[in-house]
Amino acid sequence: MAKHYHLAQANIARMRAREDDPLMAGFVARLESLNALADSSPGFVWRLETKEGDATAIRAFDDERILFNLSVWESVQALTDYVYRSAHGEALRRRREWFERLRGVSLVLWWIPAGHRPDVAEAKARLEELEANGPGPNGFTFRQRFPPPAD
């Protein structure tokens, strides 16, 4: 019997200021609706969140201004549709208002067995691997995609 795979994605962004700074108000105001949109999007499976309903309190790095996002989707297409073809796309186009340009890798995609929930350590390892080795089956990007593993 062939395994079924889902797509995991992790991304990081460094805020231009602390979340409570007026500079970040436009981002903070959109967060709840964008998370709700993700949760109801076709192909959405799971996202890392605290009891507050988002992941902004999770600090995966020593820098308190780096936000960490981790989610699972049924396919690359489902994630692409949410990221670029929904209201999320408008927020993405405005990201430079709220976030600094990062040097290096800020997003990684990888395939996981359906039902698996990646954690922060796994996602950070995938980001590091992509940074060190470039796109491959263990970590890739929207531009350089890899298919799910063959069983």
Side-chain angles (χ1 to χ4, degrees):
M1 178 178 209
K3 271 188 187 175
H4 182 70
Y5 290 90
H6 285 159
L7 182 77
Q9 79 77 34
N11 66 74
I12 59 173
R14 187 167 195 274
M15 297 181 289
R16 291 191 173 275
R18 293 170 39 105
E19 283 174 72
D20 58 357
D21 189 290
L23 181 68
M24 296 303 297
F27 169 73
V28 172
R30 287 169 174 75
L31 192 56
E32 187 176 336
S33 65
L34 290 175
N35 283 334
L37 178 61
D39 293 348
S40 66
S41 291
F44 172 82
V45 176
W46 171 86
R47 68 181 165 88
L48 180 66
E49 61 184 305
T50 64
K51 64 182 178 181
E52 288 77 30
D54 63 49
T56 57
I58 296 169
R59 293 296 181 256
F61 298 88
D62 292 335
D63 185 338
E64 71 173 26
R65 288 181 21 211
I66 294 181
L67 295 183
F68 178 83
N69 181 45
L70 175 61
S71 61
V72 175
W73 297 80
E74 290 179 355
S75 66
V76 174
Q77 190 60 54
L79 177 59
T80 300
D81 288 346
Y82 168 71
V83 171
Y84 298 108
R85 296 184 183 100
S86 74
H88 181 273
E90 186 267 335
L92 188 63
R93 285 185 290 280
R94 295 184 60 192
R95 71 186 174 274
R96 296 291 173 245
E97 293 177 34
W98 309 305
F99 298 99
E100 296 175 359
R101 186 178 297 272
L102 292 176
R103 286 192 195 116
V105 171
S106 61
L107 168 107
V108 65
L109 309 173
W110 73 100
W111 295 104
I112 59 172
H116 174 65
R117 298 295 175 259
D119 61 16
V120 172
E122 179 181 345
K124 284 179 69 174
R126 299 295 178 139
L127 281 163
E128 290 167 5
E129 184 168 339
L130 179 59
E131 180 78 38
N133 302 317
N138 292 324
F140 52 94
T141 65
F142 283 115
R143 285 194 179 133
Q144 285 189 272
R145 301 174 184 184
F146 284 76
D151 291 324

